[in-house]
Amino acid sequence: MNYVSIFHANLNYAFLEPHKYEQVIRASYEVILDTFAKHFPKDVRYVFEASGYTIDEMARRTPDVLNKLRAAIDSGQCEFMGAPY
């Protein structure tokens, strides 16, 4: 499989205050997911790498964005690469 990009998402190493997490998830991760879903053909693939901590925070703060990640993975356009918690 050929990939166009690898995106690295780790909230726990970003030196952010927790009240900024949702803003970062929406302004960064959600934008990536929406951009690929809306503007690229399904055969343009990418990798989304995230720590377990990041996925937990997405589940807690922005479950709708986590559902977009799941949909991208299910469609085959996105390959998920997990990182340690």
Side-chain angles (χ1 to χ4, degrees):
M1 191 180 281
N2 295 321
Y3 298 95
V4 72
S5 297
I6 298 174
F7 299 99
H8 178 76
N10 282 318
L11 290 171
N12 48 330
Y13 297 112
F15 301 103
L16 296 167
E17 296 176 19
H19 73 275
K20 294 282 191 178
Y21 285 177
E22 182 175 353
Q23 177 185 353
V24 169
I25 291 167
R26 294 202 181 277
S28 298
Y29 312 156
E30 185 173 33
V31 169
I32 292 166
L33 299 168
D34 287 346
T35 298
F36 273 88
K38 294 175 184 172
H39 300 288
F40 289 91
K42 295 297 179 199
D43 63 340
V44 175
R45 294 178 174 92
Y46 62 100
V47 176
F48 189 90
E49 183 274 339
S51 66
Y53 180 82
T54 299
I55 296 299
D56 280 350
E57 290 296 325
M58 288 173 73
R60 188 166 76 81
R61 297 170 188 268
T62 58
D64 59 310
V65 178
L66 186 57
N67 286 336
K68 290 180 182 186
L69 176 59
R70 286 182 178 132
I73 294 165
D74 289 346
S75 77
Q77 188 175 28
C78 176
E79 182 173 328
F80 179 74
M81 182 186 304
Y85 196 87

